[in-house]
Amino acid sequence: MPDCSVVVITYNDAARLPRAVRSVLGQSLRDLEVIIVDDASADGTPEVAARLAERDPRVRYLRRKVNSGCCGAPRNDGIDAAAAPYVMFLDSDDELPRHACKSLLTEIERTGADFVSGQISRLFESSGRLQPYYPSLFARRRVVEGIREEPQLFLDCFSTNKLYDVGRLRDRALRFPEDIYYEDHVFAAELYALSRRFAIVPWVVYHWHRAPTNASISLSIDDMENVRQRVMAARLSDDLLREHGAEDLVPHRQHRFVRQDLLVYLKPLPARDLVWVKEFASIVRPYLEEIPAEVIAAAEPLERVCCRLILDDRIEDLRIAASSLTGPRAAPRAAVQLDGRTYWGTSVSPGLDITELRLAELPFSASRLRHEASEITCDGARVRMIVRTYDPFGALPVDRTAFLQLGSRRIPIEPEPSGEGGYVSEVVFTPSGTCDPRIGFTRISDGHTTTDRIIADPHTPEIEVPGCRVLVEGYGAYLCVRPDPSPRSVWRRTRRALLRRLNTPRAKLCAYKVLIKVLPRRRNLALFESDVGQGCSGSPRAVYEEVRRRKLPIEVVWSVAKNRGHFPRGVRLVRRGSWRYVWTMARAGIWVDSHGFPLDYPKPRGTRYLQTWHGQGIKSIGFDAPDLRADFDKPRAQWRAAVARWDALVSPSAEFSRIFVPSNGYTGKVYRYGTPRCDALVRGEAAGDVRGQLEIPRGRQILLYAPTYRDWAKRSGKSVRVDLELLAEELADDWVLVLRTHPVEHYSPPEHLRHFVRSAGSYPEINDLMLASDALLTDYSSVMCDYAITGKPMVFFIDDWDDYRLSERGVYHDLPAIAPGPCVTTTEELVSVIRRLPDVHASFAERYTAFRHLWCADERGDAAARIVDDFFGVAR
């Protein structure tokens, strides 16, 4: 008896069947069987299946005499034929990851569950990208004592991402319906109703292939019969729950229909003709009418609006609303604001309430407009179109200018009032390159700009102009410009690809090592770099400003990363990593930076290197940090050689010198003058208007939230651990949260929170944010040491303190014991502290003083001047 049976169902899929079977035979669990159930294929599937069975005795081939038309019958045949105590299902166009069977088998034997469910991921064949399906459902490994404990799991109605106990399926006569498309929805509903306990695992156990030419049932959503079948499956599922005494679960399963099943058809709705949309609504409406109002009310606002429009038979409005479900989520044409509530369209109805999206409360730079293009024509190399602009939330001021944005180009336009509450513009442009055209408006009074993409008729024919095409893409039907796939363009891409192969980091490093041997140093040429080229800020900026103030005869070149700005006018820039950058590094007699120039690049003989570093604090650093404390010689040797290049190191405090110097193996000169970047904090000098640039209303206090990254989750957004939804709900009337994530982090706040959250990750100078803020919220970030100079309140959100100090980064100090403010672990605690902030801050006065003495005792506001006196003395 094998440990596991994997039932592979197939129909007319001879080309992909071997791939699916190989994914099973290649499992790390060797003791299994493959049961191929052929639903009477009319292509070469029988021959392919027979060969697979001949090559491996673990493969059995069953063929149905007549095609069933659905997937239920072949799956039932597989259950009947299974010889193992456990069974899985696999479609012939999909695959199992290598450890799927073994890991699920281990879990079901360990837990004694009726079945085990794992993460399913869509695999997009065109790009190879994997996209988890509802990853929040599988975020943690657990045993669920019945579906009532977690009814949101009705969202997982797949039959293929589960391992089942065959005996229990047979004992309970659990079968797939054989005359309906979405048989797995019905099967899953009955499975959940009858299962007393089941297990969830967080790893991927099924790869659901999404091919551009795949004609599977789940992708045939333009067929009206597909709509009927899905509604039929929903009704059957509800009926089965009632039959098994689980009527209380029906609303939870219906929530799945509104949130998932209905959206499958709503998202492409803008591209449908009115006849299709009307028939679709007529099929769906009777079932929607059966769903309790509270179920629909629990849906997302725009999903709720679409349901209301279906129920009211407002077909044209339904198409417009559906265009807001995908992509940039286009604004409505109109909205009504009444008694503090905002409603979609021109009428007031609870089902049209979109207040929680906060679209009417966004700052001008984030405000939403709707731009619809029509009459798109081509005049040689130029494209003409009429654009109608709708301002549903009254965001546009009287003093404004308008433009069409094409990548980095801006073409002025002159919108005229349309007489319908909107504006009409005649737009003429010459497309080039790759871009998504936008219409933008600039407020003259303060220079703030807002832009939105242009919507067009999905059936707009593609327009070809020299070098590129203008077309409509995506469910939202957005206008875009794409390169022309002509032979000339193909040659250009091929040439660029060849250049990329020659333009490698290895080639540049080899050239650099030759250059430093043959080129003389320029003693008055200095290469400055801050935050790996991300901007002109921090201590390098402070040192540079002091050099410029004294008019020293030093030519400064700044390193800049790709697509970065915020550099002073007139400054010479060089792209980090470019050939010119390599040349400048080889010639410069002075290097100044805050992180580290490329590690493998040796310092030229005669060049002097000032390392200002970028912070101090409680986190482990250097050879104590996770990426270097492991016993791997190459990265440790690489970092040791990089540190050996430093001629001088800026040390903000005695504590920094005690920790940082030995943990990095540094033996050179140390400047104990304070931190150049903190001079402005000591003097209280702000370089910019934070409130004006971030559009923070008067009377609102500013909470600066600056979390650090997590080493094992860089660029994931997981450093933002505070519940921003709850924080906005409780504090938005009095506070604005300015979010400053770490440079290695990727996080963008949801649009419905932008009335409260201002994203400042790219704001050029964090000193300005600290000076403008009323309090700091952080976790383990080094910003706490700089912020202590201001004397303003600090709060520490450390819900993962034990993990962070014991198993992730590691720390040198016990933060809860030395923190100059309260340490909280829940957003509820945080809200309570913020509401009592003056009293709480006063209670930490003694600790605050000790904290400042530990980290800020050397900060006197003249660090840059003293360092320039010493380090640049020879050059001066």
Side-chain angles (χ1 to χ4, degrees):
M1 181 187 293
D3 288 331
C4 178
S5 299
V6 180
V7 177
V8 182
I9 65 168
T10 186
Y11 173 68
N12 286 351
D13 199 17
R16 292 178 294 195
L17 177 61
R19 181 184 68 186
V21 173
R22 282 196 301 270
S23 78
V24 183
L25 297 177
Q27 289 287 299
S28 54
L29 177 69
R30 305 299 297 166
D31 191 10
L32 49 72
E33 67 169 351
V34 182
I35 303 173
I36 301 174
V37 183
D38 177 8
D39 200 6
S41 295
D43 65 347
T45 296
E47 293 77 13
V48 170
R51 286 197 298 271
L52 290 169
E54 289 173 4
R55 292 172 185 169
D56 196 306
R58 294 178 295 169
V59 179
R60 285 195 283 153
Y61 174 48
L62 307 178
R63 176 175 170 82
R64 294 180 60 82
K65 294 181 180 180
V66 179
N67 177 254
S68 67
C70 303
C71 298
R75 286 203 173 115
N76 287 334
D77 291 349
I79 294 174
D80 294 338
Y86 303 105
V87 66
M88 281 191 75
F89 299 102
L90 173 65
D91 294 343
S92 60
D93 54 346
D94 297 330
E95 291 179 278
L96 295 182
R98 175 170 165 73
H99 302 294
C101 293
K102 187 174 184 178
S103 63
L104 291 176
L105 178 65
T106 301
E107 193 71 4
I108 201 168
E109 289 180 338
R110 183 184 72 84
T111 61
D114 293 351
F115 66 91
V116 181
S117 183
Q119 176 74 68
I120 189 169
S121 275
R122 287 170 281 199
L123 194 161
F124 295 90
E125 294 184 357
S126 57
S127 64
R129 180 171 61 93
L130 276 172
Q131 184 182 54
Y133 179 89
Y134 284 115
S136 60
L137 298 179
F138 304 93
R140 57 189 177 87
R141 185 178 183 179
R142 62 199 187 276
V143 173
V144 182
E145 302 295 338
I147 188 64
R148 285 182 177 84
E149 189 174 282
E150 294 189 38
Q152 68 271 20
L153 286 167
F154 275 116
L155 287 167
D156 174 24
C157 280
F158 289 98
S159 59
T160 50
N161 64 329
K162 298 174 178 63
L163 179 74
Y164 307 88
D165 184 314
V166 174
R168 290 175 182 172
L169 290 183
R170 292 170 178 166
D171 290 345
R172 296 167 181 171
L174 257 171
R175 311 281 288 179
F176 289 91
E178 299 189 356
D179 56 353
I180 191 171
Y181 284 176
Y182 293 97
E183 78 295 329
D184 48 351
H185 294 191
V186 183
F187 177 82
E190 189 169 19
L191 176 72
Y192 282 130
L194 295 176
S195 297
R196 294 184 179 88
R197 68 197 312 258
F198 52 92
I200 304 291
V201 295
W203 51 83
V204 176
V205 300
Y206 195 86
H207 286 165
W208 177 18
H209 279 252
R210 303 297 296 270
T213 57
N214 195 336
S216 67
I217 289 172
S218 61
L219 297 179
S220 303
I221 56 176
D222 55 346
D223 182 5
M224 202 59 67
E225 181 60 25
N226 190 289
V227 182
R228 293 188 181 92
Q229 291 278 329
R230 198 182 288 259
V231 172
M232 190 185 307
R235 278 208 172 93
L236 285 173
S237 300
D238 295 348
D239 291 342
L240 277 171
L241 290 175
R242 294 185 183 104
E243 286 179 18
H244 292 293
E247 187 166 354
D248 59 307
L249 292 174
V250 172
H252 296 287
R253 208 223 61 82
Q254 291 172 334
H255 173 71
R256 179 224 149 81
F257 180 85
V258 174
R259 184 178 177 185
Q260 174 61 33
D261 298 337
L262 191 60
L263 278 183
V264 170
Y265 305 101
L266 289 176
K267 288 180 177 179
L269 212 59
R272 311 292 191 197
D273 59 59
L274 285 176
V275 174
W276 194 98
V277 178
K278 193 168 185 66
E279 186 177 357
F280 161 76
S282 68
I283 294 172
V284 172
R285 188 180 302 115
Y287 183 64
L288 278 182
E289 290 172 342
E290 299 173 14
I291 296 177
E294 57 269 22
V295 173
I296 295 178
E300 295 294 318
L302 289 170
E303 299 166 11
R304 190 167 61 234
V305 167
C306 289
C307 289
R308 185 70 262 163
L309 296 174
I310 291 173
L311 292 169
D312 293 345
D313 198 24
R314 294 168 57 180
I315 304 306
E316 179 58 38
D317 287 343
L318 177 60
R319 283 209 306 182
I320 295 171
S323 68
S324 299
L325 294 170
T326 59
R329 296 181 178 271
R333 286 180 175 175
V336 176
Q337 297 179 55
L338 181 66
D339 297 332
R341 309 298 297 177
T342 304
Y343 300 89
W344 191 95
T346 57
S347 58
V348 174
S349 166
L352 303 177
D353 191 329
I354 58 171
T355 306
E356 61 193 88
L357 294 178
R358 303 291 184 180
L359 294 174
E361 303 170 44
L362 296 173
F364 178 74
S365 60
S367 60
R368 300 306 312 279
L369 306 173
R370 185 184 183 94
H371 310 290
E372 297 181 3
S374 61
E375 303 176 32
I376 305 174
T377 59
C378 180
D379 177 13
R382 298 191 303 173
V383 173
R384 295 178 179 271
M385 61 184 177
I386 301 297
V387 178
R388 288 173 172 78
T389 295
Y390 299 89
D391 181 17
F393 309 107
L396 291 180
V398 175
D399 61 324
R400 64 176 185 268
T401 58
F403 56 88
L404 170 73
Q405 183 162 327
L406 298 170
S408 59
R409 289 191 295 152
R410 287 187 176 182
I411 302 170
I413 60 175
E414 298 182 2
E416 298 289 339
S418 65
E420 301 173 355
Y423 304 88
V424 177
S425 310
E426 183 178 3
V427 179
V428 181
F429 66 99
T430 303
S432 62
T434 300
C435 66
D436 299 320
R438 293 172 172 267
I439 297 294
F441 288 85
T442 299
R443 193 163 57 191
I444 297 174
S445 61
D446 55 18
H448 285 297
T449 293
T450 184
T451 65
D452 268 295
R453 292 184 64 181
I454 302 172
I455 302 170
D457 185 332
H459 303 103
T460 300
E462 183 178 303
I463 295 175
E464 294 188 8
V465 296
C468 61
R469 303 164 294 149
V470 179
L471 64 157
V472 177
E473 282 187 351
Y475 285 153
Y478 289 98
L479 199 68
C480 57
V481 178
R482 298 291 179 259
D484 182 2
S486 63
R488 185 177 178 184
S489 297
V490 171
W491 160 243
R492 287 175 180 168
R493 289 198 297 272
T494 304
R495 185 177 62 182
R496 284 197 296 268
L498 290 172
L499 288 175
R500 278 197 299 270
R501 295 189 64 180
L502 297 173
N503 197 28
T504 63
R506 183 176 180 181
K508 290 174 181 175
L509 179 58
C510 291
Y512 173 81
K513 290 180 177 179
V514 172
L515 288 174
I516 62 175
K517 293 178 180 179
V518 300
L519 286 178
R521 302 293 83 70
R522 286 186 53 193
R523 296 177 65 84
N524 67 333
L525 176 63
L527 178 60
F528 275 63
E529 184 173 286
S530 178
D531 195 15
V532 200
Q534 299 297 311
C536 179
S537 61
S539 288
R541 172 68 178 265
V543 172
Y544 164 75
E545 295 289 358
E546 182 65 19
V547 168
R548 191 172 66 168
R549 186 184 68 79
R550 298 188 185 190
K551 298 181 180 179
L552 298 183
I554 296 174
E555 183 183 349
V556 175
V557 178
W558 274 93
S559 161
V560 56
K562 187 177 181 181
N563 298 325
R564 295 294 175 174
H566 306 299
F567 285 83
R569 289 184 180 181
V571 171
R572 279 188 59 192
L573 301 177
V574 61
R575 174 70 60 79
R576 192 177 200 272
S578 67
W579 282 106
R580 188 174 293 275
Y581 179 80
V582 171
W583 173 270
T584 305
M585 282 190 71
R587 298 218 60 193
I590 299 170
W591 289 0
V592 180
D593 89 328
S594 62
H595 283 67
F597 287 105
L599 298 182
D600 291 327
Y601 281 59
K603 187 183 64 173
R605 185 184 299 274
T607 295
R608 295 183 304 122
Y609 186 169
L610 173 62
Q611 175 57 260
T612 67
W613 206 240
H614 50 275
Q616 59 175 334
I618 68 168
K619 299 186 296 185
S620 65
I621 197 71
F623 293 107
D624 298 333
D627 51 345
L628 292 178
R629 65 179 173 232
D631 190 20
F632 297 108
D633 291 336
K634 184 175 180 180
R636 293 171 67 86
Q638 184 185 47
W639 181 244
R640 191 174 291 110
V643 170
R645 299 178 301 179
W646 303 348
D647 293 290
L649 170 68
V650 174
S651 172
S653 65
E655 187 67 7
F656 178 88
S657 295
R658 183 184 72 82
I659 294 172
F660 185 91
V661 172
S663 63
N664 284 276
Y666 177 67
T667 58
K669 186 171 185 176
V670 175
Y671 288 137
R672 280 281 309 281
Y673 303 142
T675 318
R677 72 170 180 278
C678 290
D679 289 349
L681 291 177
V682 175
R683 297 193 294 262
E685 297 174 352
D689 176 15
V690 171
R691 283 187 174 271
Q693 292 187 51
L694 297 183
E695 300 174 90
I696 298 174
R698 292 182 180 179
R700 301 279 181 87
Q701 297 183 83
I702 298 175
L703 179 62
L704 174 60
Y705 181 23
T708 192
Y709 65 92
R710 302 307 188 264
D711 287 86
W712 309 126
K714 293 178 181 178
R715 300 174 180 85
S716 68
K718 292 183 178 179
S719 67
V720 182
R721 305 181 67 85
V722 171
D723 184 347
L724 297 182
E725 299 262 2
L726 178 59
L727 212 60
E729 184 180 337
E730 297 291 338
L731 301 178
D733 291 339
D734 302 308
W735 290 80
V736 167
L737 184 122
V738 173
L739 178 60
R740 176 76 169 200
T741 53
H742 193 279
V744 305
E745 189 63 286
H746 289 171
Y747 179 81
S748 180
E751 186 178 56
H752 69 277
L753 293 179
R754 292 181 186 174
H755 70 294
F756 171 67
V757 179
R758 301 291 190 271
S759 184
S762 60
Y763 193 89
E765 187 51 70
I766 191 172
N767 279 353
D768 291 355
L769 300 179
M770 289 192 276
L771 291 170
S773 65
D774 296 282
L776 171 70
L777 170 62
T778 186
D779 43 24
Y780 320 109
S781 172
S782 61
V783 72
M784 68 177 79
C785 299
D786 294 348
Y787 200 83
I789 296 172
T790 70
K792 290 185 283 193
M794 285 189 266
V795 184
F796 300 85
F797 193 87
I798 57 169
D799 64 321
D800 61 339
W801 168 245
D802 286 337
D803 289 338
Y804 191 85
R805 68 187 178 91
L806 296 175
S807 60
E808 196 190 65
R809 182 61 181 250
V811 295
Y812 297 112
H813 294 270
D814 182 6
L815 180 59
I818 69 167
C823 294
V824 298
T825 57
T826 68
T827 306
E828 290 80 2
E829 288 181 85
L830 174 61
V831 169
S832 176
V833 166
I834 296 297
R835 286 177 171 164
R836 301 177 291 111
L837 196 55
D839 293 337
V840 172
H841 180 50
S843 69
F844 278 84
E846 189 174 335
R847 268 208 203 175
Y848 207 117
T849 300
F851 192 86
R852 289 184 66 172
H853 180 75
L854 182 65
W855 302 106
C856 312
D858 293 334
E859 302 294 354
R860 297 180 176 86
D862 61 352
R866 298 175 70 182
I867 289 169
V868 168
D869 279 341
D870 194 311
F871 188 82
F872 291 89
V874 175
R876 182 176 59 180

